[in-house]
Amino acid sequence: MHHPFTLVAALPVDPLNARVHEEGWQSWSPSGAYAPGDRPHRPTNDNWATVCYRPGVTVPEGTFQGEGLLALDPGDGSPTRLWAAVDPTGEVPSIRLTVTDGLAEVAADGPVKEWTGTDIQDALGGWADSLGLEPPRPAPTVWCSWYEYFTNVTEDDIHENLRAMDTLDLPIDVVQIDDGYQKVLGDWLTLSGRFRSREGIADAIRARGRRAGIWTAPFLVDPASDLATEHPDWLVRSADGGFAHAGRNWGHDLRVLDTTHPEAGAYLRHVFRTLRSEGYDYFKVDFLYAGALDGVRHQDVDALTAYRDGVRLIREAIGADAYLLGCGAPILPSIGLFDAMRVSPDTAPHRRPEADDYSQPGQDPAEFTGVGRQWQHGRLWTNDPDCLMARPAVETRERWAAHVEATGGLTASSDRLLSLDEWGVRTTRRLLSGGAR
Protein backbone atom coordinates (compact mmCIF):
# COMPACT_ATOMS: atom_id res chain seq x y z
CA MET A 1 0.00 0.00 0.00
CA HIS A 2 1.38 3.38 -0.99
CA HIS A 3 1.28 6.34 1.35
CA PRO A 4 2.17 10.02 0.92
CA PHE A 5 5.89 10.58 0.44
CA THR A 6 7.62 11.13 3.76
CA LEU A 7 11.12 12.47 4.28
CA VAL A 8 13.46 9.70 5.48
CA ALA A 9 16.89 11.35 5.17
CA ALA A 10 18.70 14.58 4.33
CA LEU A 11 22.45 14.77 3.85
CA PRO A 12 25.09 16.89 2.10
CA VAL A 13 26.56 15.67 -1.18
CA ASP A 14 29.35 16.71 -3.51
CA PRO A 15 27.40 17.67 -6.69
CA LEU A 16 30.39 16.90 -8.90
CA ASN A 17 31.24 13.43 -7.55
CA ALA A 18 28.00 12.08 -6.07
CA ARG A 19 26.16 9.21 -7.79
CA VAL A 20 22.56 8.02 -7.42
CA HIS A 21 21.42 4.49 -8.28
CA GLU A 22 17.79 4.05 -9.36
CA GLU A 23 16.41 0.50 -9.27
CA GLY A 24 13.70 0.10 -11.89
CA TRP A 25 10.46 -1.80 -11.37
CA GLN A 26 10.97 -4.76 -13.71
CA SER A 27 13.49 -6.46 -15.98
CA TRP A 28 13.19 -3.92 -18.77
CA SER A 29 13.03 -0.78 -16.57
CA PRO A 30 16.25 1.28 -16.78
CA SER A 31 18.39 0.79 -13.68
CA GLY A 32 21.79 2.28 -12.97
CA ALA A 33 23.80 5.16 -11.57
CA TYR A 34 23.59 8.84 -12.47
CA ALA A 35 25.33 12.07 -11.53
CA PRO A 36 23.09 14.60 -9.72
CA GLY A 37 22.87 16.75 -12.84
CA ASP A 38 21.90 13.88 -15.18
CA ARG A 39 18.41 13.39 -16.52
CA PRO A 40 17.38 9.79 -15.69
CA HIS A 41 15.82 7.57 -18.34
CA ARG A 42 12.03 7.85 -18.43
CA PRO A 43 9.26 6.40 -20.65
CA THR A 44 8.74 8.23 -23.93
CA ASN A 45 5.15 7.10 -24.48
CA ASP A 46 2.20 5.82 -22.43
CA ASN A 47 2.32 2.28 -23.79
CA TRP A 48 5.95 1.75 -22.82
CA ALA A 49 5.16 3.25 -19.42
CA THR A 50 2.76 0.32 -18.89
CA VAL A 51 4.78 -2.45 -20.53
CA CYS A 52 8.30 -1.54 -19.39
CA TYR A 53 8.11 0.71 -16.32
CA ARG A 54 6.03 0.72 -13.15
CA PRO A 55 2.47 1.22 -14.39
CA GLY A 56 0.63 4.23 -13.05
CA VAL A 57 3.77 5.78 -11.58
CA THR A 58 5.15 9.09 -12.84
CA VAL A 59 8.24 10.87 -11.55
CA PRO A 60 8.51 14.66 -11.24
CA GLU A 61 11.17 16.45 -13.26
CA GLY A 62 14.45 16.82 -11.43
CA THR A 63 13.75 13.80 -9.22
CA PHE A 64 15.47 10.42 -9.00
CA GLN A 65 13.23 7.48 -8.12
CA GLY A 66 13.96 3.84 -7.30
CA GLU A 67 11.31 1.15 -6.90
CA GLY A 68 12.08 -0.48 -3.59
CA LEU A 69 15.79 0.37 -3.74
CA LEU A 70 17.66 3.67 -4.10
CA ALA A 71 21.34 4.20 -3.31
CA LEU A 72 23.40 7.36 -2.92
CA ASP A 73 27.17 7.70 -2.98
CA PRO A 74 27.56 11.24 -1.54
CA GLY A 75 30.86 11.67 -3.37
CA ASP A 76 32.58 13.22 -0.35
CA GLY A 77 34.29 10.10 0.98
CA SER A 78 31.49 9.16 3.36
CA PRO A 79 29.82 5.73 3.04
CA THR A 80 27.27 4.99 0.34
CA ARG A 81 23.75 4.84 1.73
CA LEU A 82 20.98 2.59 0.51
CA TRP A 83 17.28 2.84 1.26
CA ALA A 84 15.50 -0.48 0.78
CA ALA A 85 11.99 -1.85 1.08
CA VAL A 86 11.34 -3.48 4.45
CA ASP A 87 9.22 -6.21 2.84
CA PRO A 88 10.60 -6.37 -0.72
CA THR A 89 8.38 -9.20 -1.96
CA GLY A 90 5.17 -7.82 -0.48
CA GLU A 91 5.38 -4.03 -0.52
CA VAL A 92 7.65 -2.08 -2.84
CA PRO A 93 7.64 1.63 -2.05
CA SER A 94 8.85 4.26 -4.47
CA ILE A 95 11.87 6.12 -3.08
CA ARG A 96 12.68 9.61 -4.33
CA LEU A 97 15.78 11.77 -4.12
CA THR A 98 16.27 15.42 -5.01
CA VAL A 99 19.43 17.50 -4.76
CA THR A 100 19.23 21.25 -4.06
CA ASP A 101 22.25 23.42 -3.27
CA GLY A 102 24.36 20.42 -2.29
CA LEU A 103 21.70 18.87 -0.04
CA ALA A 104 20.10 15.53 -0.94
CA GLU A 105 16.63 14.83 0.43
CA VAL A 106 15.23 11.30 0.33
CA ALA A 107 11.53 10.49 0.68
CA ALA A 108 9.52 7.27 0.36
CA ASP A 109 5.84 6.37 0.09
CA GLY A 110 6.20 3.25 2.22
CA PRO A 111 8.45 1.73 4.88
CA VAL A 112 12.18 1.54 4.12
CA LYS A 113 15.30 0.68 6.07
CA GLU A 114 18.81 1.99 5.55
CA TRP A 115 22.05 0.20 4.65
CA THR A 116 25.58 1.43 4.04
CA GLY A 117 28.47 0.25 1.89
CA THR A 118 31.78 1.30 0.44
CA ASP A 119 30.17 2.02 -2.95
CA ILE A 120 26.83 1.53 -4.67
CA GLN A 121 27.34 -2.07 -5.78
CA ASP A 122 28.70 -2.98 -2.33
CA ALA A 123 25.69 -1.49 -0.56
CA LEU A 124 23.23 -3.22 -2.89
CA GLY A 125 25.11 -6.51 -2.65
CA GLY A 126 25.25 -6.31 1.14
CA TRP A 127 21.49 -5.80 1.28
CA ALA A 128 20.97 -8.79 -1.04
CA ASP A 129 23.26 -10.95 1.10
CA SER A 130 21.17 -10.07 4.16
CA LEU A 131 18.16 -11.83 2.59
CA GLY A 132 19.85 -15.18 3.20
CA LEU A 133 18.89 -16.80 -0.10
CA GLU A 134 20.43 -20.07 -1.24
CA PRO A 135 22.99 -19.59 -4.03
CA PRO A 136 21.47 -20.30 -7.46
CA ARG A 137 22.31 -23.60 -9.11
CA PRO A 138 24.59 -23.53 -12.18
CA ALA A 139 22.86 -22.36 -15.34
CA PRO A 140 22.82 -24.46 -18.50
CA THR A 141 24.09 -23.06 -21.79
CA VAL A 142 21.33 -22.26 -24.26
CA TRP A 143 20.51 -21.72 -27.91
CA CYS A 144 17.41 -19.54 -28.40
CA SER A 145 15.51 -18.96 -31.64
CA TRP A 146 14.39 -15.37 -30.96
CA TYR A 147 17.03 -12.95 -32.21
CA GLU A 148 17.38 -14.58 -35.62
CA TYR A 149 13.84 -15.69 -36.44
CA PHE A 150 11.60 -13.71 -34.06
CA THR A 151 7.92 -14.75 -34.41
CA ASN A 152 8.53 -16.27 -37.88
CA VAL A 153 10.43 -19.25 -36.50
CA THR A 154 9.52 -22.62 -38.00
CA GLU A 155 9.97 -26.18 -36.89
CA ASP A 156 12.46 -26.67 -39.71
CA ASP A 157 14.55 -23.77 -38.35
CA ILE A 158 14.85 -25.59 -35.03
CA HIS A 159 15.95 -28.80 -36.72
CA GLU A 160 18.51 -27.02 -38.90
CA ASN A 161 20.15 -25.36 -35.91
CA LEU A 162 20.02 -28.56 -33.90
CA ARG A 163 22.09 -30.26 -36.62
CA ALA A 164 24.44 -27.25 -36.82
CA MET A 165 25.26 -27.50 -33.12
CA ASP A 166 26.77 -30.91 -33.78
CA THR A 167 28.52 -29.80 -36.97
CA LEU A 168 30.11 -26.80 -35.24
CA ASP A 169 30.79 -28.67 -31.98
CA LEU A 170 29.04 -26.10 -29.77
CA PRO A 171 28.60 -26.93 -26.07
CA ILE A 172 24.87 -26.14 -25.89
CA ASP A 173 22.85 -27.81 -23.15
CA VAL A 174 19.37 -26.42 -23.95
CA VAL A 175 17.63 -25.73 -27.26
CA GLN A 176 14.92 -23.18 -26.45
CA ILE A 177 12.00 -22.54 -28.80
CA ASP A 178 10.89 -18.94 -28.43
CA ASP A 179 7.76 -17.00 -29.43
CA GLY A 180 6.20 -18.19 -32.68
CA TYR A 181 5.43 -21.88 -32.10
CA GLN A 182 2.00 -21.08 -30.60
CA LYS A 183 -1.02 -19.88 -32.56
CA VAL A 184 -1.73 -16.95 -30.25
CA LEU A 185 -0.96 -15.69 -26.74
CA GLY A 186 -3.09 -17.57 -24.24
CA ASP A 187 -3.73 -20.63 -26.42
CA TRP A 188 -0.36 -22.10 -25.57
CA LEU A 189 -1.10 -25.68 -26.58
CA THR A 190 -2.43 -24.76 -30.04
CA LEU A 191 0.37 -24.73 -32.61
CA SER A 192 0.92 -22.13 -35.29
CA GLY A 193 0.93 -23.33 -38.88
CA ARG A 194 4.75 -23.33 -38.89
CA PHE A 195 5.00 -26.18 -36.37
CA ARG A 196 3.91 -29.79 -36.57
CA SER A 197 4.61 -31.28 -33.13
CA ARG A 198 6.02 -29.82 -29.92
CA GLU A 199 6.59 -33.27 -28.51
CA GLY A 200 8.32 -34.37 -31.70
CA ILE A 201 10.77 -31.45 -31.50
CA ALA A 202 11.47 -32.16 -27.84
CA ASP A 203 12.17 -35.80 -28.71
CA ALA A 204 14.58 -34.75 -31.49
CA ILE A 205 16.43 -32.37 -29.16
CA ARG A 206 16.78 -34.97 -26.45
CA ALA A 207 17.86 -37.64 -28.93
CA ARG A 208 20.92 -35.50 -29.63
CA GLY A 209 21.79 -35.32 -25.94
CA ARG A 210 20.43 -31.83 -25.31
CA ARG A 211 17.56 -30.48 -23.22
CA ALA A 212 14.36 -28.97 -24.60
CA GLY A 213 13.33 -25.46 -23.59
CA ILE A 214 10.29 -23.37 -24.41
CA TRP A 215 9.01 -19.78 -24.09
CA THR A 216 5.66 -18.59 -22.79
CA ALA A 217 4.12 -15.33 -21.60
CA PRO A 218 1.82 -17.04 -19.10
CA PHE A 219 -0.06 -14.04 -17.71
CA LEU A 220 -0.85 -12.40 -21.08
CA VAL A 221 -3.95 -13.14 -23.13
CA ASP A 222 -4.58 -12.01 -26.70
CA PRO A 223 -8.20 -10.86 -27.11
CA ALA A 224 -8.31 -12.90 -30.34
CA SER A 225 -7.52 -16.13 -28.47
CA ASP A 226 -10.00 -18.92 -27.84
CA LEU A 227 -9.31 -18.45 -24.13
CA ALA A 228 -10.47 -14.82 -24.20
CA THR A 229 -13.54 -15.67 -26.27
CA GLU A 230 -14.65 -18.71 -24.30
CA HIS A 231 -13.61 -17.69 -20.78
CA PRO A 232 -13.85 -13.91 -20.28
CA ASP A 233 -14.42 -14.61 -16.58
CA TRP A 234 -10.81 -15.85 -16.39
CA LEU A 235 -9.46 -12.35 -17.10
CA VAL A 236 -8.53 -9.61 -14.65
CA ARG A 237 -10.95 -6.69 -14.73
CA SER A 238 -10.43 -2.98 -14.28
CA ALA A 239 -12.25 -1.00 -11.61
CA ASP A 240 -14.78 0.27 -14.20
CA GLY A 241 -15.75 -3.29 -15.21
CA GLY A 242 -13.72 -3.52 -18.41
CA PHE A 243 -10.68 -5.70 -18.90
CA ALA A 244 -7.42 -4.77 -17.21
CA HIS A 245 -5.05 -3.41 -19.86
CA ALA A 246 -1.56 -4.93 -20.09
CA GLY A 247 -0.38 -2.61 -22.86
CA ARG A 248 -0.29 -3.06 -26.62
CA ASN A 249 1.97 -5.55 -28.39
CA TRP A 250 1.73 -8.00 -31.30
CA GLY A 251 -0.85 -5.59 -32.75
CA HIS A 252 -3.36 -6.10 -29.93
CA ASP A 253 -4.40 -4.51 -26.65
CA LEU A 254 -3.47 -7.29 -24.25
CA ARG A 255 -5.41 -8.72 -21.33
CA VAL A 256 -4.34 -10.44 -18.12
CA LEU A 257 -5.05 -13.99 -16.99
CA ASP A 258 -6.53 -14.07 -13.49
CA THR A 259 -4.66 -16.95 -11.91
CA THR A 260 -6.68 -16.52 -8.70
CA HIS A 261 -9.70 -17.89 -10.59
CA PRO A 262 -9.75 -21.64 -9.87
CA GLU A 263 -10.47 -22.63 -13.46
CA ALA A 264 -7.89 -20.22 -14.91
CA GLY A 265 -5.32 -21.51 -12.45
CA ALA A 266 -6.18 -25.08 -13.39
CA TYR A 267 -5.77 -24.22 -17.08
CA LEU A 268 -2.33 -22.68 -16.54
CA ARG A 269 -1.28 -25.67 -14.46
CA HIS A 270 -2.46 -27.98 -17.27
CA VAL A 271 -0.43 -26.02 -19.85
CA PHE A 272 2.82 -26.34 -17.93
CA ARG A 273 2.26 -29.94 -16.90
CA THR A 274 1.62 -30.78 -20.54
CA LEU A 275 4.81 -29.06 -21.70
CA ARG A 276 6.75 -30.83 -18.97
CA SER A 277 5.28 -34.21 -19.93
CA GLU A 278 6.29 -33.59 -23.56
CA GLY A 279 9.93 -33.39 -22.50
CA TYR A 280 10.54 -29.68 -21.85
CA ASP A 281 12.46 -28.95 -18.67
CA TYR A 282 13.73 -25.39 -19.29
CA PHE A 283 11.08 -22.67 -19.20
CA LYS A 284 11.48 -19.01 -20.10
CA VAL A 285 8.42 -17.18 -18.76
CA ASP A 286 8.16 -13.68 -20.18
CA PHE A 287 6.13 -10.45 -19.89
CA LEU A 288 5.56 -11.30 -16.25
CA TYR A 289 4.81 -7.69 -15.29
CA ALA A 290 1.23 -8.44 -16.38
CA GLY A 291 0.68 -10.75 -13.43
CA ALA A 292 1.46 -7.90 -11.02
CA LEU A 293 -0.87 -5.33 -12.57
CA ASP A 294 -3.56 -3.87 -10.34
CA GLY A 295 -7.10 -4.98 -11.09
CA VAL A 296 -10.19 -6.79 -9.86
CA ARG A 297 -9.49 -10.51 -9.44
CA HIS A 298 -11.62 -13.49 -8.52
CA GLN A 299 -9.96 -13.58 -5.11
CA ASP A 300 -9.60 -10.43 -3.07
CA VAL A 301 -5.81 -10.36 -2.96
CA ASP A 302 -3.33 -7.63 -3.78
CA ALA A 303 -1.53 -7.72 -7.12
CA LEU A 304 1.87 -8.79 -5.76
CA THR A 305 0.35 -11.71 -3.87
CA ALA A 306 -1.47 -12.78 -7.04
CA TYR A 307 1.78 -12.51 -9.00
CA ARG A 308 3.86 -14.58 -6.60
CA ASP A 309 1.14 -17.21 -6.26
CA GLY A 310 0.91 -17.39 -10.07
CA VAL A 311 4.64 -18.04 -10.40
CA ARG A 312 4.50 -20.65 -7.65
CA LEU A 313 1.70 -22.38 -9.57
CA ILE A 314 4.01 -22.62 -12.58
CA ARG A 315 6.87 -23.93 -10.48
CA GLU A 316 4.64 -26.58 -8.95
CA ALA A 317 3.49 -27.67 -12.41
CA ILE A 318 6.99 -28.00 -13.93
CA GLY A 319 8.64 -29.48 -10.84
CA ALA A 320 11.58 -28.43 -8.72
CA ASP A 321 14.14 -29.94 -11.09
CA ALA A 322 13.07 -27.87 -14.13
CA TYR A 323 14.94 -24.63 -14.83
CA LEU A 324 12.87 -21.42 -14.58
CA LEU A 325 14.00 -18.15 -16.19
CA GLY A 326 11.98 -14.99 -15.60
CA CYS A 327 11.79 -12.00 -17.94
CA GLY A 328 9.86 -8.75 -17.97
CA ALA A 329 9.34 -9.49 -14.30
CA PRO A 330 8.93 -7.13 -11.34
CA ILE A 331 12.35 -7.42 -9.72
CA LEU A 332 11.85 -7.31 -5.96
CA PRO A 333 8.54 -9.25 -5.94
CA SER A 334 10.35 -12.05 -7.83
CA ILE A 335 12.95 -12.71 -5.14
CA GLY A 336 13.08 -16.38 -4.23
CA LEU A 337 11.03 -17.61 -7.19
CA PHE A 338 13.46 -18.08 -10.11
CA ASP A 339 16.67 -19.82 -11.06
CA ALA A 340 17.63 -17.00 -13.43
CA MET A 341 16.30 -13.56 -14.25
CA ARG A 342 16.65 -11.21 -17.18
CA VAL A 343 18.16 -8.11 -15.63
CA SER A 344 17.95 -5.73 -18.59
CA PRO A 345 15.79 -4.75 -21.54
CA ASP A 346 16.16 -6.78 -24.72
CA THR A 347 19.32 -6.51 -26.69
CA ALA A 348 19.11 -6.10 -30.47
CA PRO A 349 21.27 -6.28 -33.60
CA HIS A 350 21.59 -2.47 -33.23
CA ARG A 351 22.93 -0.30 -30.42
CA ARG A 352 20.45 2.55 -29.96
CA PRO A 353 16.86 1.96 -28.77
CA GLU A 354 13.78 3.37 -30.47
CA ALA A 355 13.04 6.98 -29.44
CA ASP A 356 16.13 6.74 -27.22
CA ASP A 357 13.94 5.05 -24.60
CA TYR A 358 16.22 2.87 -22.47
CA SER A 359 13.50 0.29 -21.82
CA GLN A 360 13.44 -0.61 -25.51
CA PRO A 361 15.57 -3.15 -27.40
CA GLY A 362 19.13 -2.11 -28.06
CA GLN A 363 22.64 -2.98 -26.96
CA ASP A 364 23.16 0.37 -25.22
CA PRO A 365 20.19 0.03 -22.82
CA ALA A 366 20.89 -3.67 -22.25
CA GLU A 367 24.45 -2.83 -21.22
CA PHE A 368 23.45 0.14 -19.04
CA THR A 369 20.94 -1.78 -16.95
CA GLY A 370 22.86 -5.06 -17.06
CA VAL A 371 25.86 -3.34 -15.48
CA GLY A 372 23.63 -1.55 -12.99
CA ARG A 373 22.18 -4.85 -11.81
CA GLN A 374 25.39 -6.88 -11.70
CA TRP A 375 25.08 -6.96 -7.91
CA GLN A 376 22.10 -9.34 -8.25
CA HIS A 377 24.12 -12.11 -9.90
CA GLY A 378 24.73 -15.09 -7.64
CA ARG A 379 22.76 -13.45 -4.83
CA LEU A 380 19.15 -13.23 -6.00
CA TRP A 381 19.51 -15.56 -9.02
CA THR A 382 21.75 -16.12 -12.02
CA ASN A 383 21.69 -12.94 -14.09
CA ASP A 384 20.57 -13.22 -17.69
CA PRO A 385 22.21 -10.38 -19.66
CA ASP A 386 20.29 -11.49 -22.78
CA CYS A 387 21.54 -13.47 -25.73
CA LEU A 388 24.85 -13.43 -27.49
CA MET A 389 24.56 -12.48 -31.17
CA ALA A 390 27.81 -13.08 -33.03
CA ARG A 391 26.80 -13.12 -36.71
CA PRO A 392 28.44 -10.56 -39.02
CA ALA A 393 25.25 -8.53 -39.50
CA VAL A 394 25.11 -7.56 -35.81
CA GLU A 395 26.30 -4.03 -35.08
CA THR A 396 29.30 -3.84 -32.69
CA ARG A 397 29.10 -7.58 -32.10
CA GLU A 398 32.54 -7.59 -30.45
CA ARG A 399 31.47 -5.09 -27.80
CA TRP A 400 28.21 -6.92 -27.13
CA ALA A 401 30.00 -10.26 -26.76
CA ALA A 402 32.42 -8.67 -24.28
CA HIS A 403 29.48 -7.45 -22.19
CA VAL A 404 27.82 -10.88 -22.13
CA GLU A 405 31.10 -12.51 -21.16
CA ALA A 406 31.85 -9.97 -18.41
CA THR A 407 28.55 -10.58 -16.62
CA GLY A 408 29.40 -14.23 -15.94
CA GLY A 409 25.70 -15.05 -16.09
CA LEU A 410 23.47 -17.25 -18.20
CA THR A 411 24.99 -17.67 -21.67
CA ALA A 412 22.64 -18.12 -24.61
CA SER A 413 23.38 -18.00 -28.34
CA SER A 414 20.70 -16.59 -30.64
CA ASP A 415 22.04 -16.77 -34.19
CA ARG A 416 21.24 -18.95 -37.17
CA LEU A 417 24.32 -20.98 -36.46
CA LEU A 418 25.20 -21.63 -40.09
CA SER A 419 25.37 -17.85 -40.65
CA LEU A 420 28.30 -17.46 -38.26
CA ASP A 421 31.70 -16.64 -39.71
CA GLU A 422 34.97 -17.87 -38.20
CA TRP A 423 34.99 -15.15 -35.51
CA GLY A 424 31.35 -15.83 -34.67
CA VAL A 425 31.84 -19.58 -34.27
CA ARG A 426 35.00 -19.11 -32.21
CA THR A 427 33.42 -16.49 -29.95
CA THR A 428 30.18 -18.44 -29.49
CA ARG A 429 32.08 -21.61 -28.60
CA ARG A 430 34.33 -19.74 -26.14
CA LEU A 431 31.50 -18.00 -24.30
CA LEU A 432 29.40 -21.15 -24.13
CA SER A 433 32.38 -23.10 -22.84
CA GLY A 434 32.74 -20.60 -19.99
CA GLY A 435 29.14 -21.08 -18.88
CA ALA A 436 27.61 -19.26 -15.92
CA ARG A 437 30.00 -18.42 -13.10
Side-chain angles (χ1 to χ4, degrees):
M1 179 181 295
H2 293 280
H3 308 282
F5 280 89
T6 302
L7 186 70
V8 296
L11 64 156
V13 297
D14 178 343
L16 295 178
N17 295 309
R19 292 293 182 271
V20 181
H21 173 91
E22 292 187 338
E23 184 63 33
W25 172 242
Q26 54 120 309
S27 300
W28 306 324
S29 308
S31 299
Y34 304 90
D38 291 343
R39 188 178 187 277
H41 298 295
R42 298 288 181 255
T44 57
N45 66 49
D46 290 342
N47 187 56
W48 292 344
T50 296
V51 175
C52 301
Y53 294 79
R54 191 170 191 174
V57 173
T58 57
V59 185
E61 280 290 325
T63 302
F64 296 98
Q65 180 163 307
E67 304 303 337
L69 294 169
L70 185 140
L72 171 65
D73 178 348
D76 58 5
S78 60
T80 291
R81 296 170 70 174
L82 167 68
W83 294 271
V86 172
D87 177 15
T89 61
E91 183 176 0
V92 183
S94 296
I95 308 166
R96 290 179 174 172
L97 183 147
T98 57
V99 178
T100 306
D101 296 330
L103 182 69
E105 293 189 335
V106 181
D109 66 356
V112 297
K113 55 186 176 181
E114 188 174 321
W115 293 80
T116 60
T118 57
D119 57 30
I120 287 174
Q121 292 282 313
D122 179 66
L124 289 162
W127 172 79
D129 289 339
S130 77
L131 300 175
L133 300 175
E134 291 291 324
R137 54 182 156 170
T141 57
V142 181
W143 179 85
C144 168
S145 63
W146 179 247
Y147 285 108
E148 180 74 61
Y149 303 100
F150 298 97
T151 56
N152 294 318
V153 64
T154 70
E155 182 167 335
D156 291 339
D157 294 327
I158 304 300
H159 288 296
E160 178 199 274
N161 284 280
L162 185 59
R163 293 189 296 269
M165 293 169 202
D166 290 342
T167 301
L168 299 174
D169 190 26
L170 296 176
I172 292 169
D173 299 320
V174 173
V175 178
Q176 185 227 307
I177 304 167
D178 212 279
D179 186 9
Y181 69 89
Q182 80 288 354
K183 182 178 179 181
V184 68
L185 301 181
D187 298 342
W188 299 108
L189 300 181
T190 304
L191 292 173
S192 69
R194 297 180 301 278
F195 281 75
R196 298 178 291 275
S197 169
R198 275 189 321 273
E199 188 169 11
I201 301 173
D203 287 345
I205 293 169
R206 297 165 70 198
R208 290 179 178 265
R210 307 185 197 273
R211 296 166 57 186
I214 199 162
W215 173 95
T216 59
F219 302 139
L220 286 182
V221 178
D222 190 313
S225 65
D226 292 341
L227 187 155
T229 300
E230 298 171 7
H231 303 287
D233 55 321
W234 291 6
L235 305 178
V236 177
R237 296 280 178 165
S238 58
D240 63 8
F243 293 108
H245 181 55
R248 186 171 180 81
N249 208 338
W250 295 275
H252 292 278
D253 292 316
L254 300 171
R255 299 174 184 172
V256 182
L257 185 70
D258 180 4
T259 55
T260 74
H261 190 293
E263 293 179 7
Y267 166 74
L268 196 61
R269 189 176 290 108
H270 169 67
V271 166
F272 281 94
R273 284 179 175 169
T274 299
L275 296 173
R276 188 70 178 87
S277 71
E278 290 175 347
Y280 295 91
D281 70 352
Y282 176 100
F283 295 86
K284 178 180 177 181
V285 285
D286 205 350
F287 291 81
L288 296 179
Y289 71 89
L293 290 171
D294 289 332
V296 179
R297 290 173 166 82
H298 181 80
Q299 294 182 17
D300 185 19
V301 298
D302 65 88
L304 295 189
T305 297
Y307 167 72
R308 287 182 63 84
D309 287 349
V311 176
R312 290 191 185 102
L313 180 156
I314 293 169
R315 169 56 80 185
E316 177 188 350
I318 64 176
D321 58 331
Y323 200 85
L324 188 61
L325 164 64
C327 186
I331 291 294
L332 297 194
S334 296
I335 290 172
L337 298 177
F338 294 94
D339 296 300
M341 175 63 69
R342 170 74 72 73
V343 292
S344 70
D346 282 11
T347 187
H350 51 269
R351 291 221 64 90
R352 302 300 297 176
E354 184 180 349
D356 210 32
D357 187 314
Y358 264 48
S359 72
Q360 295 305 293
Q363 295 170 36
D364 281 346
E367 287 181 12
F368 173 79
T369 295
V371 169
R373 286 181 168 151
Q374 187 63 23
W375 62 273
Q376 297 177 8
H377 180 56
R379 293 183 169 107
L380 304 185
W381 34 59
T382 293
N383 280 12
D384 172 18
D386 209 2
C387 297
L388 170 69
M389 294 177 295
R391 58 190 182 269
V394 172
E395 185 179 346
T396 61
R397 58 177 179 165
E398 296 87 356
R399 177 175 163 183
W400 176 247
H403 169 73
V404 172
E405 185 173 26
T407 67
L410 189 151
T411 305
S413 165
S414 195
D415 292 298
R416 177 176 179 256
L417 296 173
L418 294 181
S419 74
L420 294 174
D421 59 5
E422 182 180 352
W423 183 91
V425 172
R426 185 174 66 251
T427 300
T428 300
R429 184 182 296 123
R430 179 169 57 81
L431 265 63
L432 291 170
S433 297
R437 298 185 290 277

